[in-house]
Amino acid sequence: MSSNIEDIINIHGRGPGNLIQILQDIQAEDSYLSVDSIASVSEAMAIPESRIYGVATFYKQFKFIEPGEHMIKICQGTACHVKGSTPLLDVLESYLAIKPEETTEDGKFSLERVACLGCCALAPVMVVDNEVYGKMTQEKIGELLDTLRNGGDE
Amino acid sequence: MPERTILICRGTGCVSSKSPEIMEELENLLEVHGLAEKVEVKQTGCHGFCQRGPILIIEPDDIFYCEVKVEDVQEIIETHLEKGEVIDRLLYTDPQTGQHVPNYKDIMFYKNQQRVILQNCGHIDPEKIDDYISAGGYVALEKTLAMTPEEVIDVVSKSGLRGRGGAGFPTGKKWQFCRNAEGEPKYVICNADEGDPGAFMDRSILEADPHAVLEGLVIAGYAIGASHGYIYVRAEYPLAIERFAYALETARERGYLGRDIMGQDFSFDIEIKKGAGAFVCGEETALMASIMGKRGMPTPRPPYPAMSGVWGKPTNINNVKTLASIPVILSKGADWFASIGLEGCSGTAVFALTGKVANSGLVEVPMGTPLNKIIFDIGGGVPDGKTFKAAQTGGPSGGCIPAKDGEINVDFESLAAAGSIMGSGGLIVLDEDTCMVDLSHYFLSFTMEESCGKCPPCRIGTKRMHEILGKIKAGRGEPSDLQKLEELAYTIKNGSLCALGGTAPNPVLTTLRYFREEYEEHINNKRCPALVCKDLIWYTINPEKCIGCGICARKCPVGAISGEKKEVHVIDHEKCIKCGICFQSCPPKVKAVEKKTN
């Protein structure tokens, strides 16, 4: 893993302006920022860990806990809100028995609230593993979760 | 030469409704039918009518098919391409007349727009630089390089262009400040951190016409005397980033970017910086902090970015739409641009028209167009027989314009006078089912979470306002709360360091101004008239209507509904989480599940 980090840092360069890009690339590979990877970045770039955490925790994109197998993002943008994304979130929470920013015990699903995915004309929208599902209803959620649980890709 | 061209939209919206699969099927079947030579299939960026996606246009017939499915491709080939007959069921249906509209240009959504910034969107392949060039692209850059930087700034100033990111500052003046500033090197930045939830204009432009933004940024660089440009894009827009990165590559190959651009003594390059999910980074000083790899926290101005910006050097920042306007201004002239819109507020405004509106999507109209015209003549009004209640502009920094003021002109000054702002272009239509208290609470929860925490009025103030709104929503509001909200609002507005805090109270202030009685209903009568606030509503099953089909009981995620087959069902209010799935799943003919408030 640390050799990958070395590669990523070499691609971007060690300048302080590249820190965010470097963290983004590490997260793209590992799906989150582990304690070890932050320590490696700190050493390689000669930036204190505290400062890296300071930057990383400021931005919503960065995760510090390994997410579940399927990432469910529910859009909470304004268009989605007025078209009923809050009840969708209620249904998701009760089906999965987790709150946003949590992962189910079996490690299958993570739930995340996102501000806007820019697909407002399809509101309300959710994204599962980078696939956009538009014009969602509470009913469709149950069906979608069943498909994902059974390992189907639809 | 192909006889026909099929344009298929591959913007984020249409991709999510499976346009890539449709394109693949089209290419396969055209081959099978021996039409591959005669018909060209072309991918385009966003047409702006995402709601009706996937969208497919057949040229030169000018036929517009919407909500096309993979299964429809066969019929399109056999009926339309081979027999020359239009397929009625795939045409757009006018929500007001119920008539099918075959021709692209006759659809109300497009007919009543004036597309300047969006002129190429949906018509060219964003991944083909030659498409952009044949649509007149890079002519403006060539013209620019034959002028002096001062002359370029002069044209931009004369056009009357004002910043489309929301503040409306004259672009020419902004460029001049940065040009005059001392310090080398200088930087120009394209702000594509479109954080307003409910807006997607910048995403669509980058996806559909990336070269226009690129050309605008190069021209800005030339005018200001910068050698380096950045584009700061939200990481949530992967397709926009991909298309822009590809545009950079092809522009470099053709000599529109890099060393000695178009053989002239001007070198300039652009670097993409991905945002990492922070609304406040749309603010100039926070954006620059983020580019420098720091926490995206705003700093006091002055010094303005034009004096001391990225790496302490003179920096100019413009929004995507501002930069996309630049090539048109230079190729068609300042006078042409200034003739559109209003005096002092020229050009067009691009909106993401969404919410409770029949046609939602990207809309471009001359500045000063009445709000009602946008909502009714382009948007087709509010669907499902509901009534138009208000329009929200400017996102979390903006406010709500009530239906009674629908004749208001949409421009920077008129919206500000109504207590809202133009913002970067989110326009959300609200109907009678939208609760204004809930909406204010929603916006405050957004700004509260996105407050960077640097200055107390914003950090603490938004939290207190959010708490009070939450109390009112829960039916625990007191009459004195409204005054407290107003006091807090003014403190936050006046005491915050940046525009995030300075505008955060706007949604509350405008709804208090126009919909005060709705707040009072929540406080005094513990009622939510729009039937939204969860603590003030409940669901019941009307025993006279229930047919005992059991659908609701099966769908209920918490097992709160019980009843024997063919007998009246009952909701256990102790268990019910008020998710509304029963309300949604009760067959439309039965409609036994009812929503109630005091």
Side-chain angles (χ1 to χ4, degrees):
Chain A
M1 176 141 87
S2 54
S3 72
N4 274 352
I5 291 180
E6 197 63 43
D7 291 346
I8 290 171
I9 294 175
N10 286 336
I11 292 170
H12 291 283
R14 285 176 160 69
N18 301 323
L19 178 63
I20 294 172
Q21 264 72 19
I22 289 167
L23 296 176
Q24 281 172 332
D25 283 5
I26 295 172
Q27 180 161 296
E29 275 197 17
D30 300 348
S31 72
Y32 74 113
L33 299 175
S34 66
V35 174
D36 290 347
S37 55
I38 289 189
S40 314
V41 175
S42 162
E43 208 186 306
M45 296 183 74
I47 301 175
E49 278 185 46
S50 57
R51 211 177 82 71
I52 299 180
Y53 277 107
V55 171
T57 53
F58 184 83
Y59 297 97
K60 280 226 177 65
Q61 190 190 5
F62 296 115
K63 291 176 200 34
F64 304 92
I65 299 167
E66 189 168 8
E69 196 183 318
H70 298 292
M71 173 56 84
I72 302 177
K73 293 181 184 171
I74 175 116
C75 184
Q76 303 282 294
T78 316
C80 288
H81 180 82
V82 301
K83 288 215 164 181
S85 64
T86 310
L88 292 180
L89 183 62
D90 292 338
V91 172
L92 274 169
E93 285 180 6
S94 60
Y95 273 138
L96 299 171
I98 51 170
K99 293 274 167 205
E101 277 58 68
E102 289 178 359
T103 300
T104 51
E105 261 179 37
D106 60 4
K108 270 240 178 251
F109 298 103
S110 285
L111 181 59
E112 209 178 283
R113 291 181 310 147
V114 290
C116 181
L117 295 158
C119 310
C120 317
L122 303 173
V125 169
M126 59 190 259
V127 171
V128 183
D129 304 333
N130 293 324
E131 190 156 335
V132 179
Y133 295 85
K135 301 178 189 171
M136 283 306 287
T137 62
Q138 286 91 311
E139 276 191 270
K140 285 196 209 161
I141 286 182
E143 295 158 20
L144 181 61
L145 289 181
D146 285 343
T147 329
L148 293 169
R149 265 209 192 91
N150 300 330
D153 293 326
E154 270 211 309
Chain B
M1 264 301 273
E3 291 167 10
R4 280 195 177 106
T5 305
I6 301 183
L7 301 173
I8 178 146
C9 178
R10 289 188 73 165
T12 293
C14 286
V15 167
S16 80
S17 42
K18 310 234 179 309
S19 70
E21 283 89 334
I22 295 171
M23 186 156 166
E24 203 179 313
E25 179 80 353
L26 256 174
E27 282 168 342
N28 287 342
L29 290 184
L30 283 173
E31 200 70 51
V32 172
H33 286 253
L35 291 169
E37 297 286 307
K38 291 185 178 164
V39 182
E40 180 196 17
V41 181
K42 190 155 125 181
Q43 68 159 348
T44 69
C46 187
H47 282 269
F49 206 1
C50 319
Q51 186 196 23
R52 298 297 164 113
I55 286 166
L56 195 147
I57 295 174
I58 303 183
E59 283 180 344
D61 319 27
D62 242 345
I63 298 297
F64 180 91
Y65 289 135
C66 52
E67 294 176 88
V68 177
K69 294 191 175 59
V70 179
E71 305 85 86
D72 299 327
V73 171
Q74 179 111 15
E75 192 180 342
I76 291 173
I77 291 183
E78 289 171 0
T79 310
H80 190 121
L81 298 180
E82 292 186 332
K83 292 189 198 145
E85 290 166 18
V86 173
I87 306 162
D88 267 355
R89 66 178 183 88
L90 294 177
L91 295 174
Y92 170 75
T93 311
D94 188 303
Q96 282 161 1
T97 62
Q99 300 280 314
H100 289 308
V101 187
N103 203 298
Y104 186 49
K105 295 177 185 80
D106 295 331
I107 294 172
M108 65 188 305
F109 181 75
Y110 292 108
K111 192 171 68 180
N112 295 311
Q113 294 194 40
Q114 181 177 0
R115 291 193 157 197
V116 173
I117 300 172
L118 302 176
Q119 60 174 352
N120 289 333
C121 297
H123 297 285
I124 62 166
D125 182 339
E127 289 178 9
K128 292 204 174 114
I129 192 170
D130 287 321
D131 263 31
Y132 179 66
I133 294 170
S134 28
Y138 290 111
V139 168
L141 179 61
E142 200 182 342
K143 258 190 176 173
T144 298
L145 296 176
M147 294 157 79
T148 66
E150 274 76 15
E151 284 168 347
V152 178
I153 294 178
D154 198 42
V155 172
V156 175
S157 297
K158 276 194 184 133
S159 75
L161 176 67
R162 294 169 64 179
R164 296 301 196 249
F169 192 81
T171 306
K173 216 182 222 176
K174 199 172 184 179
W175 286 13
Q176 191 68 57
F177 282 147
C178 194
R179 170 148 195 94
N180 294 348
E182 281 181 31
E184 289 288 331
K186 288 178 182 167
Y187 294 94
V188 288
I189 300 175
C190 171
N191 183 350
D193 190 45
E194 189 174 41
D196 169 1
F200 56 97
M201 305 75 56
D202 298 352
R203 171 182 68 70
S204 298
I205 295 169
L206 288 173
E207 284 177 6
D209 198 10
H211 285 283
V213 182
L214 195 160
E215 190 179 358
L217 194 56
V218 180
I219 296 171
Y222 178 78
I224 288 158
S227 56
H228 197 86
Y230 290 107
I231 175 164
Y232 188 88
V233 201
R234 292 181 79 202
E236 290 88 338
Y237 290 174
L239 187 61
I241 295 172
E242 191 189 310
R243 295 241 168 101
F244 197 80
Y246 188 67
L248 287 179
E249 222 175 277
T250 46
R252 269 187 214 116
E253 279 167 19
R254 300 291 182 95
Y256 296 124
L257 198 63
R259 291 197 70 79
D260 299 332
I261 292 174
M262 298 180 89
Q264 304 290 316
D265 181 25
F266 170 58
S267 300
F268 180 81
D269 215 327
I270 300 172
E271 193 184 327
I272 298 179
K273 287 277 185 184
K274 280 190 277 176
F279 176 65
V280 70
C281 286
E283 199 276 342
E284 293 188 335
T285 57
L287 185 150
M288 294 189 302
S290 184
I291 284 185
M292 294 186 282
K294 299 183 196 163
R295 290 164 70 90
M297 290 165 77
T299 47
R301 295 182 298 182
Y304 287 92
M307 300 296 158
S308 169
V310 181
W311 314 114
K313 302 293 177 190
T315 304
N316 174 76
I317 305 179
N318 291 127
N319 172 267
V320 170
K321 294 175 291 295
T322 315
L323 290 170
S325 309
I326 297 293
V328 207
I329 292 174
L330 277 139
S331 48
K332 295 198 177 171
D335 292 340
W336 174 82
F337 190 83
S339 71
I340 305 169
L342 306 173
E343 207 179 321
C345 194
S346 60
T348 54
V350 180
F351 286 103
L353 179 65
T354 62
K356 309 289 185 68
V357 62
N359 303 327
S360 79
L362 276 196
V363 168
E364 185 171 0
V365 288
M367 283 280 181
T369 301
L371 183 65
N372 276 345
K373 191 171 175 196
I374 301 176
I375 293 171
F376 293 95
D377 297 352
I378 296 172
V382 176
D384 307 324
K386 305 272 182 178
T387 349
F388 170 44
K389 181 172 178 177
Q392 209 279 344
T393 65
S397 309
C400 291
I401 313 284
K404 70 172 174 57
D405 292 341
E407 283 309 317
I408 186 174
N409 289 343
V410 174
D411 59 76
F412 293 104
E413 278 71 29
S414 310
L415 289 177
S420 185
I421 61 162
M422 180 91 163
S424 70
L427 204 175
I428 293 151
V429 181
L430 312 171
D431 69 2
E432 64 205 64
D433 293 339
T434 312
C435 168
M436 301 319 249
V437 180
D438 174 71
L439 191 70
S440 299
H441 180 258
Y442 160 78
F443 279 124
L444 258 295
S445 70
F446 181 85
T447 34
M448 177 186 75
E449 279 179 32
E450 294 294 341
S451 170
C452 78
K454 187 167 182 168
C455 66
C458 174
R459 181 183 71 233
I460 304 170
T462 52
K463 180 145 181 69
R464 290 287 98 87
M465 284 184 85
H466 182 254
E467 279 167 5
I468 295 174
L469 290 164
K471 225 173 83 180
I472 299 174
K473 248 175 80 69
R476 290 182 284 108
E478 297 156 57
S480 63
D481 283 341
L482 297 185
Q483 199 195 334
K484 275 187 208 153
L485 277 176
E486 278 164 336
E487 279 170 18
L488 276 165
Y490 290 112
T491 309
I492 299 170
K493 258 178 116 69
N494 297 326
S496 294
L497 175 62
C498 81
L500 189 153
T503 56
N506 284 350
V508 179
L509 288 175
T510 51
T511 48
L512 274 173
R513 173 166 160 190
Y514 299 116
F515 300 95
R516 201 178 189 92
E517 69 291 346
E518 221 171 298
Y519 283 84
E520 287 163 352
E521 278 290 285
H522 283 72
I523 294 172
N524 302 332
N525 304 324
K526 313 297 170 204
R527 278 185 81 233
C528 175
L531 299 165
V532 173
C533 295
K534 242 163 101 175
D535 293 315
L536 300 179
I537 60 156
W538 62 90
Y539 289 91
T540 78
I541 296 175
N542 185 336
E544 278 164 30
K545 288 185 182 170
C546 180
I547 54 165
C549 67
I551 293 177
C552 57
R554 280 198 298 280
K555 300 264 179 187
C556 178
V558 290
I561 303 177
S562 57
E564 295 299 319
K565 208 169 166 52
K566 303 219 163 152
E567 278 180 31
V568 171
H569 283 51
V570 191
I571 300 175
D572 178 348
H573 293 287
E574 294 287 305
K575 282 189 190 165
C576 177
I577 57 163
K578 299 178 190 174
C579 69
I581 203 165
C582 50
F583 184 74
Q584 225 170 51
S585 60
C586 185
K589 278 187 198 155
V590 182
K591 275 197 167 175
V593 181
E594 291 166 1
K595 235 197 271 193
K596 306 249 175 182
T597 185
N598 274 332

